[in-house]
């Protein structure tokens, strides 16, 4: 049980929640600077960043599960892209009176 908690605290939280979001935000701010503000663009950037991030992470941890890691992190990237689209575009536009 202690190993699961340590794995969550020292691997999952830093790698996926902080590291992946840092990679994803760079792509999303690039999209925002280019005025590509559609939810599809943000979700596609999340899937692309997630597939690459999953590939690199699986290469370091267990090479036999590369496809599974790529797909899992890509799905997480789509969800993160949609969340960031809501925070960076939709909510900011509503706050400034734009639709």
């Amino acid at each position: 049980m202690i190993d699961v908690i340590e794995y969550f605290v020292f691997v999952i939280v830093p790698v996926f929640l902080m590291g992946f979001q840092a990679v994803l935000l760079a792509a999303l701010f690039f999209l925002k600077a280019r005025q590509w503000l559609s939810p599809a663009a943000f979700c596609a950037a999340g899937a692309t960043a997630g597939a690459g991030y999953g590939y690199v992470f699986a290469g370091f941890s267990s090479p036999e599960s590369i496809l599974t890691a790529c797909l899992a992190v890509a799905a997480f990237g789509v969800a993160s892209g949609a969340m960031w689209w809501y925070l960076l575009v939709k909510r900011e536009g509503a706050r400034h009176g734009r639709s």
Side-chain angles (χ1 to χ4, degrees):
M1 182 65 177
I2 299 295
D3 291 336
V4 172
I5 294 170
E6 288 178 357
Y7 185 76
F8 182 77
V9 169
F10 294 116
V11 175
I12 297 297
V13 170
V15 170
F16 287 113
L17 296 182
M18 294 187 312
F20 174 69
Q21 294 301 320
V23 170
L24 180 61
L25 280 175
L28 297 182
F29 280 120
F30 172 77
L31 290 175
K32 192 170 180 190
R34 299 280 186 239
Q35 297 296 315
W36 296 333
L37 301 177
S38 71
F42 273 56
C43 290
T48 305
Y53 199 83
Y55 180 79
V56 170
F57 181 72
F60 287 132
S61 62
S62 60
E64 65 272 353
S65 65
I66 288 177
L67 180 62
T68 305
C70 286
L71 293 176
V73 182
F76 180 70
V78 169
S80 294
M83 178 203 63
W84 283 113
W85 173 82
Y86 178 76
L87 290 174
L88 293 174
V89 178
K90 183 76 170 168
R91 203 164 121 194
E92 184 178 305
R95 187 173 41 199
H96 294 297
R98 291 178 264 154
S99 52

